[in-house]
Amino acid sequence: MPYDPSLPPPEVNILLLGDEEVGKSTFLSRLSLGIRPRDDDLPPYSLPILRDSDQPFTFNISLYNRAYTLAFSDTASPTSYTLLRPDFIVLCYDISRRSTLESLRTRWLPIVNSHFNYDEALPVMVLGLKRDKRREWTDEEKSNGGRGESIMPQEGLGIATEMLCDRYAECSAITGDLCKEVLEDVARTCARTTTENGAKSQGASCVVM
């Protein structure tokens, strides 16, 4: 259908899932600064405080010469998140805490599969937050055949692929590292949800540098 600028922009509902304290609220605060920060808006950012009672948080963007409204909710939504019908789900974990990544597999993915199975084309992204807190594994951890507490990019991407998620990305909302790239990737995926073919892709793509 041809784009009609006289019509209200399509609204895309996005749900952020993940354990407590993984950084979802900080990410949403960062998002409120916009997809493209001003030239003088340099990291570290002064992030606004958002109130959970104001969810969903809505942001208007322009992409591919079209206007869109993105509506973000997370697990603190005033409406139980299990009752929402998102167009896009983002599974969030804390890069510095291994347990939060494992929780995506054992807790949050089953919730997605049971509560949000109304659309086989529903895109799902895995997003690693608090990238600035990643620490290299020690020699002792490596020599024992183990892994450190921090998740390395290739490991996060591998888990996202195993979970059959569509995208994988990382960022730090506090420092701004990769936030612009992640937010643009989120926006592109949201834009594709409004097309006839939807946003589902073949395998997990990756936004990590």
Side-chain angles (χ1 to χ4, degrees):
M1 180 181 297
Y3 172 56
D4 186 348
S6 67
L7 296 176
E11 181 172 287
V12 182
N13 296 298
I14 307 161
L15 178 60
L16 274 59
L17 298 177
D19 289 353
E20 294 182 359
E21 306 299 327
V22 298
K24 298 187 298 295
S25 296
T26 306
F27 177 68
L28 287 173
S29 294
R30 171 63 188 85
L31 213 166
S32 70
L33 295 179
I35 297 295
R36 297 182 183 278
R38 302 182 304 273
D39 291 339
D40 60 346
D41 190 13
L42 301 175
Y45 299 101
S46 176
L47 299 178
I49 297 176
L50 304 181
R51 298 182 301 177
D52 291 333
S53 59
D54 291 336
Q55 293 191 34
F57 305 115
T58 58
F59 308 98
N60 296 316
I61 68 164
S62 179
L63 197 66
Y64 309 131
N65 296 317
R66 299 184 61 169
Y68 300 89
T69 297
L70 308 186
F72 285 81
S73 300
D74 64 17
T75 52
S77 169
T79 301
S80 172
Y81 68 87
T82 60
L83 301 179
L84 301 176
R85 290 180 65 85
D87 304 299
F88 181 26
I89 290 179
V90 181
L91 297 176
C92 303
Y93 78 97
D94 178 348
I95 286 173
S96 67
R97 288 194 292 148
R98 179 168 294 277
S99 62
T100 63
L101 178 61
E102 182 59 28
S103 185
L104 295 188
R105 286 196 291 193
T106 60
R107 178 185 179 187
W108 295 106
L109 186 61
I111 288 176
V112 171
N113 291 335
S114 61
H115 289 287
F116 305 107
N117 58 359
Y118 49 82
D119 184 1
E120 292 183 356
L122 180 69
V124 179
M125 168 188 267
V126 172
L127 177 60
L129 298 171
K130 302 185 181 181
R131 175 182 164 94
D132 56 299
K133 292 189 175 182
R134 172 180 281 135
R135 299 293 178 265
E136 294 294 331
W137 300 344
T138 66
D139 291 338
E140 181 179 358
E141 290 168 337
K142 295 176 182 177
S143 63
N144 291 333
R147 294 174 174 176
E149 182 67 8
S150 292
I151 305 299
M152 297 303 156
Q154 65 275 16
E155 184 180 5
L157 176 60
I159 295 297
T161 302
E162 290 176 14
M163 292 167 54
L164 303 180
C165 294
D166 302 283
R167 313 191 73 75
Y168 177 79
E170 297 181 355
C171 68
S172 168
I174 293 296
T175 68
D177 184 28
L178 287 181
C179 280
K180 178 186 173 203
E181 290 81 357
V182 169
L183 296 181
E184 289 180 341
D185 195 39
V186 167
R188 283 192 296 268
T189 302
C190 289
R192 286 196 293 271
T193 66
T194 67
T195 65
E196 183 177 351
N197 294 330
K200 205 71 174 172
S201 61
Q202 299 296 321
S205 63
C206 182
V207 179
V208 178
M209 296 176 65

